[in-house]
Amino acid sequence: MESVFQYGNEQSGNVLLQMVGDHDMDSLEREVQLIRELSGTSDFRLIAVKVNNWNDDLSPWPNPAVFGNEGFGGYADKTLKMLMDEVVEPVRTGASEDLKMYIGGYSLSALFALWTVYQTDIFSGCAAASPSMWFPRFVDYIADKTILTDRVYLSLGNKEEKTRNPIMRQVGDAIRRSYEILKDKVDVTLEWNEGNHFKDADLRTAKGFAWVLKK
């Protein structure tokens, strides 16, 4: 974990937590403004935590490369421990009883967020925008485990499954199956956005956080 960046109202009892990489840094201020517009409130604090290695730090278990040459180290458990010790516990210390924390993200960060709410019950909601649901064995994992939050936002671009990569093209069926798994257990929605995986990441993430804030 490299750095922690805070946006919005630092005194708010609504805390949004998002794992980010270098590619997210230029769009976070716009994301915060979009959350304000979509949720109709400025009463939130966004804490963005930058990871050192996107593929390694956010993947729940090791997996070979599915595109390019970079595989996945499976260090999500170490990342979560650091997150709890260095970010979550300091926020909770001295906070009022009505503190609510939400976790969310985009792409592999969204997968990490969804995995996290199967590890701990401290989050009141999860905003998983265009999550990497193609990640091998992940849907089977959530089918077998007990989710520990009350609400989940899922989204995907309507062109994301239209790819030549045989693993990544499974993302559409995987998110549909995940929605079916979750709908009888939690308050869940699945939103389809226009475009491929690389379109409007800040807007899509903002939609997810606005949804969990408004519920």
Side-chain angles (χ1 to χ4, degrees):
M1 214 176 292
E2 289 185 350
S3 305
V4 177
F5 304 87
Q6 303 205 34
Y7 303 84
N9 177 9
E10 292 191 11
Q11 306 304 315
S12 177
N14 295 311
V15 177
L16 311 177
L17 190 61
Q18 179 178 348
M19 309 306 291
V20 299
D22 287 328
H23 56 277
D24 297 303
M25 298 310 300
D26 291 341
S27 60
L28 283 170
E29 289 188 2
R30 180 172 185 267
E31 179 185 317
V32 170
Q33 182 56 39
L34 288 166
I35 296 170
R36 291 191 186 106
E37 294 172 3
L38 293 166
S39 66
T41 181
S42 296
D43 184 19
F44 65 87
R45 171 186 180 187
L46 174 67
I47 301 177
V49 181
K50 189 163 170 284
V51 295
N52 292 314
N53 187 297
W54 183 260
N55 279 16
D56 287 348
D57 294 340
L58 298 178
S59 49
W61 45 79
N63 199 75
V66 295
F67 51 90
N69 298 315
E70 187 178 356
F72 300 85
Y75 301 152
D77 54 345
K78 295 180 180 179
T79 301
L80 179 57
K81 185 180 187 307
M82 285 192 291
L83 189 65
M84 297 292 290
D85 293 346
E86 300 176 19
V87 180
V88 173
E89 289 307 319
V91 168
R92 297 178 76 190
T93 300
S96 63
E97 291 184 1
D98 60 353
L99 173 72
K100 290 187 177 180
M101 302 190 74
Y102 306 90
I103 189 166
Y106 193 83
S107 191
L108 195 58
S109 172
L111 188 84
F112 174 83
L114 193 54
W115 172 84
T116 293
V117 294
Y118 284 83
Q119 318 306 314
T120 175
D121 63 359
I122 67 167
F123 294 106
S124 298
C126 173
S130 287
S132 303
M133 301 302 292
W134 51 261
F135 196 82
R137 305 187 303 283
F138 190 79
V139 179
D140 290 337
Y141 178 85
I142 69 171
D144 292 339
K145 302 294 182 180
T146 300
I147 193 166
L148 303 174
T149 192
D150 296 326
R151 66 191 72 152
V152 175
Y153 173 94
L154 300 171
S155 73
L156 202 69
N158 59 9
K159 294 182 180 178
E160 292 196 48
E161 60 189 324
K162 297 175 182 177
T163 173
R164 293 180 180 178
N165 187 299
I167 294 178
M168 298 186 71
R169 77 163 65 114
Q170 300 173 35
V171 68
D173 288 341
I175 205 164
R176 292 182 190 95
R177 184 181 167 209
S178 299
Y179 173 76
E180 292 298 320
I181 290 168
L182 292 171
K183 70 178 184 179
D184 295 327
K185 300 177 181 180
V186 297
D187 182 7
V188 61
T189 190
L190 171 56
E191 180 172 6
W192 291 90
N193 293 300
E194 290 291 328
N196 63 23
H197 186 68
F198 302 100
K199 183 179 180 183
D200 299 330
D202 49 4
L203 173 59
R204 293 182 187 182
T205 309
K207 284 182 177 182
F209 276 132
W211 187 86
V212 295
L213 277 173
K214 290 199 296 184
K215 295 299 288 183

Coordinates of all heavy atoms in Angstrom, one line a residue, residues 51-89:
V51 N -2.7 0.9 -4.2 CA -1.9 -0.3 -4.0 C -0.7 -0.2 -4.9 O -0.6 0.5 -5.9 CB -2.8 -1.5 -4.4 CG1 -3.9 -1.7 -3.5 CG2 -3.2 -1.5 -5.9
N52 N 0.3 -1.0 -4.5 CA 1.6 -1.1 -5.2 C 1.5 -1.9 -6.5 O 2.0 -1.5 -7.5 CB 2.7 -1.7 -4.3 CG 3.0 -0.8 -3.2 OD1 3.2 0.4 -3.3 ND2 3.1 -1.4 -2.0
N53 N 0.8 -3.0 -6.5 CA 0.7 -3.9 -7.6 C -0.7 -4.3 -7.8 O -1.2 -5.1 -7.0 CB 1.6 -5.1 -7.5 CG 1.7 -6.0 -8.7 OD1 0.7 -6.5 -9.2 ND2 2.9 -6.1 -9.3
W54 N -1.4 -3.8 -8.8 CA -2.8 -4.0 -9.0 C -3.2 -5.5 -9.1 O -4.0 -5.9 -8.4 CB -3.2 -3.3 -10.3 CG -4.6 -3.3 -10.7 CD1 -5.2 -4.1 -11.6 CD2 -5.6 -2.4 -10.2 NE1 -6.5 -3.8 -11.7 CE2 -6.8 -2.7 -10.9 CE3 -5.7 -1.4 -9.3 CZ2 -8.0 -2.1 -10.7 CZ3 -6.9 -0.7 -9.0 CH2 -8.0 -1.1 -9.7
N55 N -2.5 -6.2 -9.9 CA -2.9 -7.6 -10.1 C -2.6 -8.5 -8.9 O -3.4 -9.3 -8.5 CB -2.1 -8.2 -11.3 CG -2.8 -7.9 -12.7 OD1 -3.6 -7.0 -12.7 ND2 -2.4 -8.6 -13.7
D56 N -1.5 -8.2 -8.3 CA -1.1 -9.1 -7.1 C -1.9 -8.7 -5.9 O -2.4 -9.6 -5.2 CB 0.4 -8.9 -6.8 CG 1.3 -9.6 -7.8 OD1 0.8 -10.4 -8.6 OD2 2.5 -9.3 -7.8
D57 N -2.0 -7.4 -5.6 CA -2.5 -7.0 -4.3 C -4.1 -7.1 -4.2 O -4.6 -7.2 -3.1 CB -2.2 -5.5 -4.0 CG -0.7 -5.3 -3.9 OD1 0.0 -6.3 -3.5 OD2 -0.2 -4.2 -4.0
L58 N -4.7 -7.2 -5.3 CA -6.2 -7.2 -5.3 C -6.8 -8.6 -5.7 O -8.0 -8.7 -5.6 CB -6.8 -6.1 -6.2 CG -6.4 -4.7 -5.8 CD1 -7.0 -3.7 -6.8 CD2 -6.9 -4.3 -4.4
S59 N -6.0 -9.5 -6.0 CA -6.5 -10.8 -6.4 C -6.6 -11.7 -5.2 O -5.7 -11.8 -4.4 CB -5.6 -11.5 -7.5 OG -4.2 -11.4 -7.1
P60 N -7.8 -12.5 -5.1 CA -8.0 -13.3 -3.9 C -7.2 -14.5 -3.8 O -7.0 -15.1 -2.7 CB -9.5 -13.6 -4.0 CG -9.8 -13.5 -5.5 CD -8.9 -12.4 -6.0
W61 N -6.7 -15.0 -4.9 CA -5.8 -16.2 -4.9 C -5.0 -16.1 -6.2 O -5.3 -15.4 -7.2 CB -6.6 -17.5 -4.8 CG -7.8 -17.6 -5.7 CD1 -7.8 -17.9 -7.1 CD2 -9.1 -17.4 -5.4 NE1 -9.1 -17.8 -7.5 CE2 -9.9 -17.5 -6.5 CE3 -9.8 -17.1 -4.1 CZ2 -11.3 -17.4 -6.5 CZ3 -11.1 -16.9 -4.1 CH2 -11.9 -17.1 -5.3
P62 N -3.9 -16.9 -6.2 CA -3.0 -16.8 -7.4 C -3.7 -17.3 -8.7 O -4.5 -18.3 -8.6 CB -1.8 -17.7 -7.0 CG -1.8 -17.7 -5.5 CD -3.3 -17.7 -5.1
N63 N -3.3 -16.8 -9.8 CA -3.8 -17.2 -11.1 C -2.9 -16.8 -12.2 O -2.3 -15.7 -12.1 CB -5.2 -16.7 -11.3 CG -6.0 -17.5 -12.4 OD1 -6.5 -18.5 -12.1 ND2 -6.1 -16.9 -13.6
P64 N -2.7 -17.7 -13.2 CA -1.8 -17.3 -14.3 C -2.4 -16.1 -15.1 O -3.5 -15.8 -14.9 CB -1.8 -18.5 -15.2 CG -2.2 -19.7 -14.3 CD -3.2 -19.1 -13.3
A65 N -1.5 -15.5 -15.9 CA -2.0 -14.4 -16.7 C -3.1 -14.8 -17.6 O -3.1 -15.9 -18.2 CB -0.8 -13.8 -17.5
V66 N -4.1 -13.9 -17.8 CA -5.2 -14.2 -18.7 C -5.1 -13.3 -19.9 O -5.8 -13.5 -20.9 CB -6.6 -14.1 -18.1 CG1 -6.7 -15.2 -17.0 CG2 -6.8 -12.8 -17.5
F67 N -4.3 -12.2 -19.8 CA -4.0 -11.3 -20.9 C -2.6 -10.8 -20.6 O -2.2 -10.6 -19.5 CB -5.0 -10.2 -21.0 CG -5.3 -9.5 -19.8 CD1 -4.6 -8.4 -19.4 CD2 -6.3 -9.9 -18.9 CE1 -4.8 -7.7 -18.2 CE2 -6.5 -9.2 -17.7 CZ -5.8 -8.1 -17.4
G68 N -1.8 -10.5 -21.7 CA -0.5 -10.1 -21.5 C 0.4 -11.1 -20.8 O 0.1 -12.3 -20.9
N69 N 1.4 -10.7 -20.0 CA 2.3 -11.6 -19.4 C 2.2 -11.6 -17.9 O 2.9 -12.4 -17.2 CB 3.7 -11.3 -19.8 CG 3.9 -11.4 -21.3 OD1 3.5 -12.4 -21.9 ND2 4.6 -10.5 -21.9
E70 N 1.4 -10.7 -17.3 CA 1.4 -10.5 -15.8 C 0.3 -11.3 -15.2 O -0.9 -11.2 -15.5 CB 1.2 -9.0 -15.5 CG 1.3 -8.8 -14.0 CD 1.2 -7.3 -13.7 OE1 1.1 -6.5 -14.6 OE2 1.2 -7.0 -12.5
G71 N 0.7 -12.3 -14.3 CA -0.3 -13.1 -13.6 C -0.8 -12.4 -12.4 O -0.7 -11.2 -12.2
F72 N -1.4 -13.2 -11.5 CA -2.0 -12.6 -10.3 C -1.4 -13.3 -9.1 O -1.5 -14.5 -9.0 CB -3.5 -12.8 -10.4 CG -4.2 -12.2 -11.6 CD1 -4.2 -12.9 -12.8 CD2 -4.7 -10.9 -11.5 CE1 -4.8 -12.3 -13.9 CE2 -5.3 -10.3 -12.6 CZ -5.4 -11.0 -13.8
G73 N -0.9 -12.5 -8.1 CA -0.2 -13.1 -7.0 C -1.1 -13.6 -5.9 O -0.7 -14.4 -5.1
G74 N -2.4 -13.1 -5.8 CA -3.3 -13.6 -4.8 C -3.0 -13.1 -3.4 O -3.2 -13.8 -2.4
Y75 N -2.7 -11.8 -3.3 CA -2.3 -11.2 -2.0 C -3.5 -10.4 -1.4 O -3.2 -9.6 -0.5 CB -1.1 -10.3 -2.2 CG 0.1 -11.0 -2.7 CD1 1.1 -10.2 -3.4 CD2 0.3 -12.3 -2.5 CE1 2.2 -10.9 -3.9 CE2 1.5 -12.9 -3.0 CZ 2.4 -12.2 -3.7 OH 3.5 -12.8 -4.2
A76 N -4.7 -10.6 -1.8 CA -5.8 -9.9 -1.3 C -5.9 -10.0 0.3 O -6.3 -9.0 0.9 CB -7.1 -10.3 -1.9
D77 N -5.6 -11.1 0.8 CA -5.7 -11.3 2.3 C -4.7 -10.3 3.0 O -5.0 -9.7 4.0 CB -5.5 -12.7 2.7 CG -4.2 -13.3 2.1 OD1 -3.6 -12.7 1.2 OD2 -3.8 -14.4 2.7
K78 N -3.5 -10.2 2.4 CA -2.5 -9.3 3.0 C -3.0 -7.8 2.8 O -2.8 -7.0 3.7 CB -1.2 -9.5 2.3 CG -0.5 -10.8 2.6 CD 0.8 -11.0 1.9 CE 1.4 -12.4 2.2 NZ 2.7 -12.5 1.5
T79 N -3.5 -7.5 1.7 CA -4.0 -6.2 1.4 C -5.2 -5.8 2.4 O -5.2 -4.7 3.0 CB -4.5 -6.0 0.0 OG1 -3.5 -6.3 -0.9 CG2 -5.1 -4.6 -0.3
L80 N -6.1 -6.8 2.6 CA -7.2 -6.5 3.5 C -6.7 -6.3 5.0 O -7.2 -5.4 5.7 CB -8.2 -7.7 3.5 CG -9.4 -7.5 4.4 CD1 -10.2 -6.3 4.1 CD2 -10.3 -8.8 4.3
K81 N -5.7 -7.1 5.4 CA -5.1 -6.9 6.7 C -4.5 -5.5 6.9 O -4.8 -4.8 7.9 CB -4.1 -7.9 7.1 CG -3.6 -7.9 8.5 CD -2.6 -8.9 8.8 CE -2.3 -8.9 10.3 NZ -1.9 -7.6 10.8
M82 N -3.8 -5.1 5.9 CA -3.2 -3.7 6.0 C -4.3 -2.7 6.0 O -4.3 -1.7 6.7 CB -2.3 -3.5 4.8 CG -0.9 -4.2 4.9 SD 0.3 -3.7 3.7 CE -0.4 -4.3 2.2
L83 N -5.3 -2.9 5.2 CA -6.5 -2.0 5.1 C -7.2 -1.8 6.4 O -7.5 -0.7 6.9 CB -7.4 -2.5 4.0 CG -8.6 -1.5 3.6 CD1 -8.0 -0.3 2.9 CD2 -9.5 -2.3 2.6
M84 N -7.4 -3.0 7.1 CA -8.1 -2.9 8.4 C -7.2 -2.2 9.4 O -7.7 -1.4 10.2 CB -8.4 -4.4 8.8 CG -9.4 -5.1 7.9 SD -11.0 -4.4 7.9 CE -11.5 -4.9 9.6
D85 N -5.9 -2.6 9.4 CA -5.0 -2.1 10.5 C -4.7 -0.6 10.3 O -4.7 0.2 11.2 CB -3.7 -2.8 10.5 CG -3.9 -4.3 10.9 OD1 -5.0 -4.6 11.5 OD2 -3.0 -5.1 10.7
E86 N -4.5 -0.2 9.0 CA -4.0 1.2 8.7 C -5.0 2.2 8.4 O -4.8 3.4 8.4 CB -2.9 1.1 7.6 CG -1.7 0.2 8.0 CD -0.7 0.0 6.9 OE1 -0.7 0.9 5.9 OE2 0.1 -0.9 6.9
V87 N -6.2 1.7 7.9 CA -7.2 2.7 7.5 C -8.5 2.5 8.3 O -9.0 3.4 8.9 CB -7.5 2.5 6.0 CG1 -8.6 3.5 5.5 CG2 -6.2 2.7 5.2
V88 N -9.1 1.3 8.3 CA -10.4 1.1 8.9 C -10.4 1.3 10.4 O -11.2 2.1 10.9 CB -10.9 -0.3 8.5 CG1 -12.2 -0.6 9.3 CG2 -11.2 -0.5 7.0
E89 N -9.5 0.7 11.1 CA -9.4 0.9 12.5 C -9.2 2.3 13.0 O -9.9 2.8 13.9 CB -8.4 -0.1 13.2 CG -8.8 -1.6 13.1 CD -10.2 -1.8 13.7 OE1 -10.6 -1.2 14.7 OE2 -11.0 -2.6 13.1

